[in-house]
Amino acid sequence: MSDIFKLNVNDSFDFEVNTESLSHTDILQVSDNEYHILQRNKSYKAVIESASFHKKKYEVKVNNNTYNVNIFNELDTLIKDMGFAIGSAKHVNTIKAPMPGLILDIHIKVGQKVVENDPLLILEAMKMENIISSPRDGLIKSISVENGDAVEKNQLLIEFE
């Protein structure tokens, strides 16, 4: 069984490569970041200009043409197909009430800079005080509630710029 990798080149071209097809390609490492590749009787000089192993992003120069390559394995594809994305929580632009309750205290103002995990407000629900913290760094665009307001589940509380 061969592993399948999906590649995205320059945010424009998508294609698949499997380990079996790569076994028919001769790759010779010339230096730490330089390779000589022979595929279908054609010779290529490849230089890895930059690499982010954990992010699976590479800048590769092949015969003096530079390409930005993103590599996705089967797990990456499955995670994307399921609607999850690494770091997707960091792109939250709104905070909504997780449950019905009463706003006890607001710790921020419009235009204020906040960092991840800063306390934003206190929501009382079922006789418990719940601190709602910032999911990301950002700037407060608007606050849709005031102290003493009763809120419903999923009601908009705060927007980020």
Side-chain angles (χ1 to χ4, degrees):
M1 184 173 137
S2 66
D3 291 326
I4 297 174
F5 298 93
K6 293 188 181 209
L7 286 91
N8 175 277
V9 179
N10 292 341
D11 293 325
S12 299
F13 304 102
D14 293 310
F15 56 94
E16 290 184 359
V17 174
N18 62 43
T19 51
E20 187 177 327
S21 68
L22 285 177
S23 68
H24 301 293
T25 303
D26 290 325
I27 302 173
L28 177 66
Q29 187 169 359
V30 179
S31 68
D32 285 343
N33 63 339
E34 192 173 330
Y35 298 84
H36 181 265
I37 301 168
L38 187 61
Q39 184 180 40
R40 296 187 194 124
N41 297 322
K42 280 190 154 186
S43 178
Y44 301 94
K45 176 185 174 187
V47 178
I48 299 174
E49 298 286 327
S50 66
S52 176
F53 178 76
H54 295 291
K55 292 182 180 179
K56 301 176 186 173
K57 293 183 179 194
Y58 301 87
E59 183 177 303
V60 182
K61 187 183 269 189
V62 179
N63 293 348
N64 294 320
N65 294 313
T66 302
Y67 303 96
N68 293 304
V69 180
N70 296 320
I71 301 173
F72 306 94
N73 61 21
E74 291 178 65
L75 179 60
D76 298 325
T77 304
L78 179 62
I79 289 170
K80 183 180 177 190
D81 290 346
M82 291 175 64
F84 299 108
I86 296 172
S88 64
K90 304 299 180 201
H91 301 291
V92 171
N93 289 324
T94 61
I95 295 179
K96 296 181 179 181
M99 63 195 89
L102 184 69
I103 302 296
L104 292 183
D105 195 12
I106 300 174
H107 297 289
I108 45 138
K109 293 181 172 43
V110 173
Q112 181 177 333
K113 261 187 164 177
V114 295
V115 296
E116 186 174 357
N117 295 323
D118 274 357
L120 302 176
L121 56 86
I122 297 175
L123 173 69
E124 180 185 51
M126 299 185 300
K127 299 185 184 192
M128 292 181 61
E129 292 183 5
N130 301 284
I131 298 173
I132 307 296
S133 299
S134 178
R136 68 175 178 95
D137 296 357
L139 200 61
I140 302 299
K141 180 179 179 181
S142 69
I143 303 170
S144 302
V145 293
E146 295 179 5
N147 286 341
D149 283 357
V151 297
E152 296 298 320
K153 182 177 180 171
N154 292 325
Q155 181 178 333
L156 179 65
L157 303 176
I158 297 169
E159 282 185 293
F160 288 94
E161 282 192 19

